[in-house]
Amino acid sequence: MNYWHIVGDSHIRAFRHASNVGLINSPCVFTEVGGATAVGLRNPNALTDAVSVFRASLLPRATGARPVIHLGEVDCGFVIWYRAKKYSESIDSQFEQSIAGYIGFVDELLGDGYSTVVISGATLPTILDGQDWGEVANARREVTATLVQRTELTLAYNERLRAAADLRSLPFIDISHSTLDEKTKVVAERFRNPDPTDHHLDPVEAGALWAMELNRVDDRFA
């Protein structure tokens, strides 16, 4: 039986909610590493060691498994800005390193025998300008980029992921434009988590959108 193996940071919890309530047509398996970054996939010594965890869960290739990669929120909302300042590099340079980490891991999976890998767009940022409450917001307080700037970077990031998927004839799923408020140019209020200290999207609202995206891909395999 074919199933989705969804790997990524804590934002895959929206997928998990959708699976638990029966919105995703195919069975799902999850491998979550909180705080995982795309750029960290290039570094086995990264703090979370996510690349080792993901490799152990996905390799060797399991019969019926179809990987779904969901990363990038930590990169676009924090790490790209932080590393650019720390290493006196441009945002563009850090952006490219993050994309290279993400796509390099996808290519590794393809090289190890997966016929397809689903690339997903990063979740839009939610931490408000000047917000210093909540564990994650407090940890990211060194980044001064505005919510609009972080959102714009995330949208650009997702377009690069889409292009990389198209180049490899891989499925690409994304809910960023569906969760964006076109007037404010940031995440729409209805998709914010009911807990103001929680930077994840509302799992009910976001999960329903991710389910539709995955089911659409599923239909292509049918």
Side-chain angles (χ1 to χ4, degrees):
M1 175 184 292
N2 290 332
Y3 63 94
W4 302 117
H5 192 147
I6 302 171
V7 306
D9 59 23
S10 59
H11 293 278
I12 69 171
R13 294 172 192 175
F15 291 87
R16 191 192 302 273
H17 173 81
S19 177
N20 287 343
V21 298
L23 295 180
I24 299 177
N25 294 337
S26 290
C28 297
V29 171
F30 298 90
T31 300
E32 175 185 331
V33 177
T37 65
V39 72
L41 296 180
R42 306 179 74 187
N43 179 13
N45 298 314
L47 185 63
T48 63
D49 195 24
V51 68
S52 296
V53 175
F54 294 156
R55 281 176 179 149
S57 70
L58 291 170
L59 300 174
R61 181 179 63 85
T63 302
R66 296 179 297 188
V68 180
I69 314 299
H70 186 61
L71 293 165
E73 189 278 337
V74 185
D75 298 73
C76 295
F78 174 63
V79 170
I80 289 174
W81 307 92
Y82 176 80
R83 285 173 58 89
K85 181 179 180 180
K86 180 178 180 179
Y87 297 111
S88 299
E89 295 183 1
S90 68
I91 297 298
D92 286 345
S93 173
Q94 288 298 324
F95 181 97
E96 294 299 332
Q97 290 179 52
S98 178
I99 290 289
Y102 195 127
I103 300 305
F105 184 64
V106 170
D107 286 341
E108 179 181 346
L109 295 179
L110 295 173
D112 283 327
Y114 283 101
S115 59
T116 192
V117 176
V118 179
I119 297 175
S120 68
T123 296
L124 290 184
T126 63
I127 296 174
L128 300 170
D129 298 342
Q131 180 177 339
D132 58 2
W133 63 91
E135 181 180 357
V136 174
N138 187 53
R140 298 185 186 183
R141 66 188 183 278
E142 294 179 65
V143 170
T144 58
T146 66
L147 180 55
V148 169
Q149 289 174 318
R150 287 177 274 129
T151 301
E152 289 175 345
L153 188 72
T154 305
L155 295 173
Y157 192 90
N158 290 348
E159 286 308 306
R160 282 293 299 277
L161 293 179
R162 182 190 299 276
D166 289 346
L167 184 64
R168 292 161 177 77
S169 298
L170 297 176
F172 177 74
I173 61 175
D174 185 26
I175 67 169
S176 55
H177 287 283
S178 297
T179 56
L180 182 72
D181 186 319
E182 290 296 339
K183 292 183 178 179
T184 64
K185 303 301 181 185
V186 298
V187 68
E189 197 64 32
R190 64 177 280 227
F191 290 102
R192 288 187 169 278
N193 198 289
D195 179 355
T197 68
D198 192 332
H199 74 296
H200 301 91
L201 297 181
D202 183 324
V204 175
E205 297 288 348
L209 293 179
W210 283 124
M212 287 191 292
E213 290 286 294
L214 273 183
N215 291 340
R216 175 178 55 81
V217 176
D218 227 358
D219 289 342
R220 290 171 51 183
F221 288 102

